[in-house]
Amino acid sequence: MAANHNGIAIPTVDLAPFFLDDDEGGVARARATEAVREACRSSGFFRVVNHGVPRELMARALELQASFFALPDEEKAKVRAAEGTTPPFPAGHARQPTQSVDKNELLLVLHPELWLDLYPAEPAGFREALVEWHAKLTELGLLVQEILNESMGLPPGFLAEYNDDRTFDFISARHCYPATQEENFGARPHQDVSCISFVLQDGVGGLEVLGPEGEWGPVEPVEDSIVVNIGDVVQVLTNGKFRSVMHRVVRKPEAHRYSLIFFLNVHGDKWVEPLPQFASDVGEPPRYRGFKYGDYLQLRARYTKSYQLSMPVDVLDITHYAI
């Protein structure tokens, strides 16, 4: 089933069949896989339900996140990497600079087994909720990666072997401030640098996707669902067949918006380029030159840190590697 907003179809994919044995869920799994394939070719976005992430955890994580962002700035600033350690990209609490068109603050945490010091001690229970969220979203991410593997027509287990290191996955908890009469961006139009992204947004909403005719359509909150979108890595691997779609967050007056995002990434040393199945094997030239994923992450991170964020289109994206 798809929800249409201004011509943009955001299908809902029921993952329940993937938790059944082959005899019970075979036909339904094939139907869900086809829905994912069509979504990745068109909008790049879909919702998942019956995904295995407890409803109680989703509610608790959002509630504790709001409590964290309500803490004084000096308390939030304590969330940073231990002295002498260097995370692969900027992590901890950060507030967008005043000149940014993105009016938000965020908490970025990496794999808990390696970077537990980046998980806040306050409010009580938030660290545990984030650790559990990371574990559950890793499980969900690997399941969706399996579905994606089949929808791409790749050999069984290809993506699992290609992407077998979880140390570059991370969580981004975000708080967008209420809109004013002058501006309303919570996050400028952008594409995700990830392999696959998972978004849990509260009831405020605000996520919008760019449609094929240049129109923006809302991705409304749907209870118990998680929004999934493919990122730049999958777009490059499929030589543009699957789409990493531009999206943004638009803030609403008098409303604080909270969201939890999980990014399933490839390891920084992984080489990313169009796979032969989507290029030379089908007689098409590659649309992107290859790159090391960590270099792209650092390029985006350095650019994000240094630019003067005066225009909502002022962002570097995967077209940097386009041929």
Side-chain angles (χ1 to χ4, degrees), residues 66-185:
S67 297
F68 169 78
F69 285 121
L71 292 173
D73 284 348
E74 57 268 24
E75 288 297 315
K76 291 180 285 189
K78 294 178 181 178
V79 184
R80 57 183 180 273
E83 188 174 350
T85 61
T86 305
F89 36 89
H93 175 262
R95 187 187 298 274
Q96 300 292 353
T98 55
Q99 71 269 25
S100 172
V101 300
D102 298 337
K103 303 303 181 184
N104 68 63
E105 59 179 329
L106 57 88
L107 171 68
L108 193 154
V109 292
L110 312 180
H111 197 292
E113 292 183 8
L114 303 176
W115 303 99
L116 191 59
D117 54 309
L118 293 172
Y119 285 64
E122 298 294 337
F126 189 33
R127 173 178 291 186
E128 291 76 12
L130 285 174
V131 170
E132 187 178 357
W133 181 257
H134 195 288
K136 288 296 184 182
L137 267 292
T138 298
E139 293 176 5
L140 176 59
L142 294 178
L143 171 58
V144 172
Q145 181 173 267
E146 291 179 11
I147 300 170
L148 190 62
N149 188 98
E150 185 170 351
S151 72
M152 292 167 68
L154 297 174
F158 178 90
L159 288 178
E161 295 180 5
Y162 172 86
N163 184 20
D164 59 356
D165 190 321
R166 304 272 52 85
T167 57
F168 271 64
D169 300 344
F170 64 90
I171 298 169
S172 178
R174 301 190 185 184
H175 167 215
C176 293
Y177 312 123
T180 67
Q181 291 184 345
E182 290 74 29
E183 43 74 33
N184 66 352
F185 268 126

